[in-house]
Amino acid sequence: MPRVVSLFLPMWPTDRFRRKSGDAAPRPETPLVLVGRDGSRRVVLAADAAARAAGLRIGMPASKAQALVPGLIVHDAEPEADVDALERLALWALRRYAPVAAADPPDGIVIDTTGADHLHGGEAAMLTEMVERLGSSGFTARAAVADTWGAAHALARFGTRATTVILSGETARAILPLPIAALRLPAATIDSLRRLGFETIADLAGTPRASLALRFGPEPGRRLDQAFGRVSEPIEPIRPEEIVEVRRNFAEPIGAPETIARYTGKLVAELCAELETRGQGARRLDLLFFRVDNRVEAIRAATATPVRDTKRLTRLLTDKIETIDPGFGIELMRLAATVAEPLRARQMISSLAEAPEPDVSDVIDILANRVGEDRLYRFAPMQSDVPERSVQRIAPMAPDTGEGWPGHWPRPTRLLPRPEPIETVALLPDHPPVTFTWRGVRRRVKRADGPERVFGEWWKRDAELAAVRDYFQVEDENGERYWVYRAGDGEDAATGSHKWFMHGIFG
């Protein structure tokens, strides 16, 4: 089953206006409306949360709104700019989340995330990330995922939660209690239906189609069928002009995996030739399959570095062909490099005597496309004396920063995710433990070295102004070596609790 995400921006376009205005934007608690013309009248076309709370509504005359709310900020609406900005958001979603994304005017984005959610930690985590990222950019957002565009659209706008995940096969049950306005019907049709007593989608779905069509035409039945998945509603993905794209039309629809793989290789060769003329390499590829029933299937592959190798890119795409459902046949294939970066030729061997440098980017690409880019990383040092802050996660192929860990004291091969408390017998202030108990096992210390004193980073938190840790390397009777520390200097209570903790294990 396809999975479709609808992103709803309830305060659009007032959020966009505030973000565009930057430092000059009015304060969030100040009511703001955008006005435009409805015939010869100036009416409110958008209102922020503060304006709505003050009693202003969409469609209200602008003069009445100004009379009701003293100090109301009024600006002219920019419908064309709103559409352009919505398309830019759709392009952001295309590049970050899934190969099929489009603007859903006037206040949303629609994304087909079929087969892409696992790359973002699952559907719930993906929706949460979308809403939080938009929130950090100044946009209020709600998101829903369901089996159909119509259902996701309805749940995002009329649901009760910021993020809603409807399991596959449960779409009908989830949308039946929603009001009929969730079906994207014209306002006049909704008003007429309400006058006849229709309040929810369940009321409308239980009515014979013939009588509905006779009075309101085919639109209510069509919207019901789209929401329930009885008829397809294709999403035409956004494609900016600068994206490198190639396509192949078929006189007769294709469906065999071997045929799909063969034409995938041909498209990759064409794409690489075009990338070469631009001096670029692909960082992300989207392969779209347009079926004869108007459904779109998609494959996405990403690379750690810019790549223009035909065999390598073909393998990344063909490895995922088994996830494609060709249905009754595919009539069009489109391959696009949605993310491309400059790629220059580099010398692999500096002399005939030297061996080529090992290149692990191919393996990294294969793993990243299976488990997700965000789940593949390597550790790098950071400038910090506090051990847990001296490590950061970076991309697998990120360049070496030249930083290194302190060399005057050895560090354990395994650092625990967080220090674990231990029970010790030790003399204060500077002696190592004689014995310690960790995870229920008592160990006697045979050798020890230390203390290594680590001070808190007072410029980050006031609580660390006097904080001190004294680290010891200890070895028990079995030859196992551990990294333990005491919180505090052993004398002044202001420097720490003087409790002991296990922080690492040496190899």
Side-chain angles (χ1 to χ4, degrees), residues 125 127 220 321 432:
L127 294 190
I321 284 180

Side-chain angles (χ1 to χ4, degrees), residues 406-444:
H408 55 286
W409 283 95
R411 289 292 183 260
T413 54
R414 177 190 173 195
L415 196 70
L416 299 180
R418 58 183 59 84
E420 298 182 10
I422 58 176
E423 297 178 2
T424 64
V425 175
L427 293 175
L428 297 179
D430 295 328
H431 290 270
V434 178
T435 63
F436 67 92
T437 302
W438 177 50
R439 295 182 178 178
V441 179
R442 185 171 179 269
R443 296 172 171 84
R444 182 176 295 277

